[in-house]
Amino acid sequence: MTYFIRVAKSYLLSIILLVFASSAQGADVLPSWNEGKAKQSIVSFVERVTAQDSADFVPVPERIAVFDNDGTLWAEQPMYFQLLFALDRVKVLAPQHPEWASQEPFASLLKGDVKAALSGGEPAIMQIVMATHSGMTTEEFDQIVGAWTSSAKHPKTGQLYTKMVYQPMLEVLGYLRANGFKTYIVSGGGIDFMRVFSEEVYGIPPEQVIGSSGKTKFEMRDGTPLLMRLAEVNFIDDKAGKPVGIHQHIGRRPIAAFGNSDGDLQMLQWTCRPPGPRFCLYVHHTDADREWAYDKASSIGRLDKGLDEAGIMNWTVVDMKTDWTKVFAFEP
């Protein structure tokens, strides 16, 4: 039944995109964007690579666009949403692990001191993630993530995390697909975590999601084939790992890349390497009222070297405060 529901959703999405494409001419294809350099750069690039009489025309199979997720497609403050998921899972799993009461970083988490728990940096975060994302089948993990994303709410807005999606970026995804692009997520977040909601939220099917992963192991249990999630890292899809992940999963160099942090820099550098028409865009978080304002000094989604590189390479930089008429769809 799940398969048929997914096929029906994909078919409906295709119909919507066809209608979108047929009505795009003369319409505002990016209605949540203010008129300006950023919006015009997107539209101009798409028009150049899709017009058959253009010197920059790109055949449909080569129209590949890659998007970071955290901070590019949805919010990432006050911390990455998948980490918030992992922290919630620690509370759920604590009764099964009495040793956590005296073992860091879990002891601090169970006392409600998240800052102390995360003071151990990446090793502490990795320990939390491995403990909460393993020891179950892939199907069980999908169900747990699905239950969390359908109920857990953001501490600031009170909205479901899957509602903390940037409306302007949803419009870019739809606009690109209506013009023959294949859109991929390329994120440092967990590949299996994102695949649970990527199709429903972004219209991006699970096979077009690239992310960090843990190791899995095939097992036969009572005659049933299973994939068990292990507490071991398989691949980290961040920074220099992003071009590697793109090469392994897609096999084509994208012609467009969208990010928001230094963790996306290598992906943008690799995408926007000549020859041929290329497009790279950074989302700059400048809106402290509707979202958050952060860049060079932030511990989450730091945009420092990438911002400098964007200026040198003439990449598009979106000023969230001035370029977007709205940030989230739930805004009045």
Side-chain angles (χ1 to χ4, degrees), residues 78-243:
M79 64 180 67
Y80 300 119
F81 294 172
Q82 187 173 358
L83 180 55
L84 289 168
F85 162 76
L87 299 185
D88 283 350
R89 289 296 298 164
V90 168
K91 299 174 186 176
V92 173
L93 294 171
Q96 304 173 31
H97 296 275
E99 71 279 7
W100 285 358
S102 58
Q103 179 184 338
E104 293 294 354
F106 306 103
S108 292
L109 285 179
L110 296 176
K111 294 174 185 175
D113 193 344
V114 176
K115 184 177 181 181
L118 301 184
S119 63
E122 289 188 9
I125 293 173
M126 190 61 66
Q127 192 174 357
I128 294 168
V129 170
M130 287 294 101
T132 57
H133 287 53
S134 62
M136 67 198 81
T137 67
T138 51
E139 288 84 359
E140 289 169 341
F141 183 75
D142 290 351
Q143 292 171 1
I144 291 169
V145 174
W148 186 82
T149 54
S150 64
S151 61
K153 295 182 178 180
H154 191 273
K156 178 181 177 180
T157 65
Q159 298 284 336
L160 293 174
Y161 288 101
T162 49
K163 299 296 183 182
M164 297 293 293
V165 174
Y166 301 136
Q167 178 62 28
M169 297 305 291
L170 289 179
E171 293 168 5
V172 171
L173 287 170
Y175 178 49
L176 290 174
R177 289 195 289 261
N179 282 277
F181 277 79
K182 203 168 186 177
T183 54
Y184 289 80
I185 291 175
V186 182
S187 173
I191 187 169
D192 290 333
F193 180 81
M194 294 182 290
R195 281 174 169 173
V196 172
F197 56 83
S198 64
E199 191 159 30
E200 180 179 354
V201 175
Y202 302 127
I204 296 178
E207 63 269 22
Q208 289 169 219
V209 175
I210 304 169
S212 299
S213 60
K215 291 184 179 180
T216 54
K217 180 183 178 182
F218 176 83
E219 290 185 8
M220 291 294 294
R221 184 180 297 174
D222 298 326
T224 301
L226 302 171
L227 286 176
M228 294 297 299
R229 297 178 58 86
L230 307 179
E232 300 178 47
V233 175
N234 179 57
F235 179 71
I236 300 297
D237 189 58
D238 195 30
K239 300 177 182 176
K242 289 198 171 189

Side-chain angles (χ1 to χ4, degrees), residues 6 28-29 75-76 82 112 123 167 184-185 199 204 220 233 244 266 277 282 299 301 305-306 308:
R6 181 181 160 196
D28 187 353
V29 294
E76 60 184 355
Q82 187 173 358
Q167 178 62 28
Y184 289 80
I185 291 175
E199 191 159 30
I204 296 178
M220 291 294 294
V233 175
V244 175
Q266 290 88 343
Y282 262 125
S299 60
K305 295 179 180 178
D308 294 339

